[in-house]
Amino acid sequence: MINIYDDLNKLESTFRQTEQFNALKTAIEEVKQDEAAVALFAKFRELQMTLQEKQMKGEEIGEDELQYAQKTAQLAQQNQAISKMLMAEMALSELVQEINRVLTKPIQAMYDGIQ
């Protein structure tokens, strides 16, 4: 019998060794060393979560909330450490998407015959 979890654990180990993973790890450590960046990112993340929660509940997001979110995001992106971290996160996310695409390819292939 095949134990897919053995392969997944190997993939996790390999994933941790990728350039993208290590770039994000380094970028996060740099943010953690900058108190202003930590506070700004925490504020940015909390605001993001609040807005996402409102969207999921179907609640309307006010114009003032939207403007505040945009200003907070802009401030976060202007911080060099946070900007570097977000770019590293995007690169790692692209790798995760590619892994997901490869893993779901056989499933997609089964559906391709249905028209």
Side-chain angles (χ1 to χ4, degrees):
M1 181 194 265
I2 295 174
N3 184 352
I4 195 167
Y5 296 103
D6 289 340
D7 291 335
L8 286 173
N9 288 326
K10 289 177 191 173
L11 178 59
E12 179 200 6
S13 177
T14 301
F15 182 72
R16 289 175 181 270
Q17 296 173 38
T18 64
E19 180 181 326
Q20 295 91 333
F21 183 89
N22 286 306
L24 179 57
K25 185 177 178 181
T26 299
I28 288 171
E29 288 305 317
E30 288 175 14
V31 167
K32 286 180 178 179
Q33 293 176 17
D34 181 343
E35 287 182 31
V38 168
L40 182 57
F41 185 70
K43 185 179 190 180
F44 171 69
R45 192 166 182 190
E46 181 181 335
L47 184 58
Q48 252 186 337
M49 298 297 277
T50 300
L51 294 179
Q52 285 177 355
E53 189 175 303
K54 278 187 155 192
Q55 281 182 324
M56 289 179 5
K57 289 180 179 179
E59 296 177 15
E60 191 172 319
I61 298 171
E63 185 63 33
D64 56 332
E65 287 178 301
L66 220 53
Q67 287 180 356
Y68 181 69
Q70 289 172 342
K71 287 178 184 177
T72 304
Q74 189 176 25
L75 282 174
Q77 290 171 348
Q78 288 175 351
N79 180 291
Q80 188 175 5
I82 294 174
S83 179
K84 182 178 177 183
M85 182 181 67
L86 293 175
M87 289 176 62
E89 182 183 331
M90 283 184 0
L92 186 60
S93 179
E94 288 175 13
L95 178 60
V96 169
Q97 288 175 4
E98 179 63 15
I99 291 167
N100 188 49
R101 187 187 67 73
V102 170
L103 287 174
T104 58
K105 191 188 309 186
I107 298 167
Q108 188 62 43
M110 287 190 292
Y111 283 105
D112 285 346
I114 301 174
Q115 298 293 346

